[in-house]
Amino acid sequence: METPAGYDVVLVTAGNIQEAEAIANALVEAKLAACVSLLPIHSIYTWQGELHKEQEWQLVIKTDLAQFSAMEAKIKELHSYEVPEIIALPIVAGSQAYLQWISQQVKSKE
C-alpha cells in the first residue's frame, strides 16, 4: 500500500445515464480521468427552496488532483445542471500498481 500524493476521486451526479456516459467518455478520452464508474442513485436534496427526490447517476472519477480545474471546466461544459455537484475527495491510501496506472492514464500538466 502506498500513501498517494495528489490522487483523488471526484464525485459528480447527472440526471440520466446518457449525460453520465457522455461526461465519463469525454473525461477519459481527454485524459482528464483514468476511470469513471457510473452508479444509479436516489438523491434527496433541496433546490431553490423545494425538496426534490430524484433518480440520478453518480460518477466516481479517479484522477490526479492536478487535473481538477480542467476537469471541472469540461464537466460544466457538458452538464445540464445549473450547479452540478463537482467535489474532489483525496485518496489517502491505495495500491501502488493502481496509483501508477492512474498516472499513466491521466496526462500530466508538466
Side-chain angles (χ1 to χ4, degrees):
M1 181 173 68
E2 180 177 309
T3 302
Y7 296 99
D8 64 328
V9 170
V10 176
L11 301 178
V12 174
T13 50
N16 59 61
I17 187 64
Q18 294 81 10
E19 182 172 59
E21 285 183 349
I23 292 168
N25 286 332
L27 295 177
V28 173
E29 288 173 4
K31 297 196 176 293
L32 296 172
C35 174
V36 182
S37 301
L38 306 175
L39 307 164
I41 61 169
H42 185 79
S43 297
I44 300 172
Y45 58 94
T46 301
W47 176 248
Q48 297 179 337
E50 293 184 23
L51 185 66
H52 292 263
K53 298 177 182 181
E54 308 286 344
Q55 294 298 99
E56 295 184 294
W57 285 84
Q58 182 77 64
L59 287 78
V60 180
I61 305 162
K62 280 70 79 176
T63 190
D64 184 324
L65 191 55
Q67 298 300 321
F68 186 82
S69 293
M71 176 184 297
E72 180 183 26
K74 178 58 81 174
I75 292 166
K76 286 180 176 179
E77 172 188 321
L78 299 170
H79 212 294
S80 64
Y81 290 1
E82 184 178 335
V83 181
E85 170 192 42
I86 307 172
I87 57 173
L89 306 172
I91 296 174
V92 296
S95 145
Q96 182 178 5
Y98 188 77
L99 298 175
Q100 287 175 343
W101 175 78
I102 290 175
S103 289
Q104 292 166 354
Q105 303 311 307
V106 178
K107 67 181 173 189
S108 88
K109 289 208 158 220
E110 298 170 15

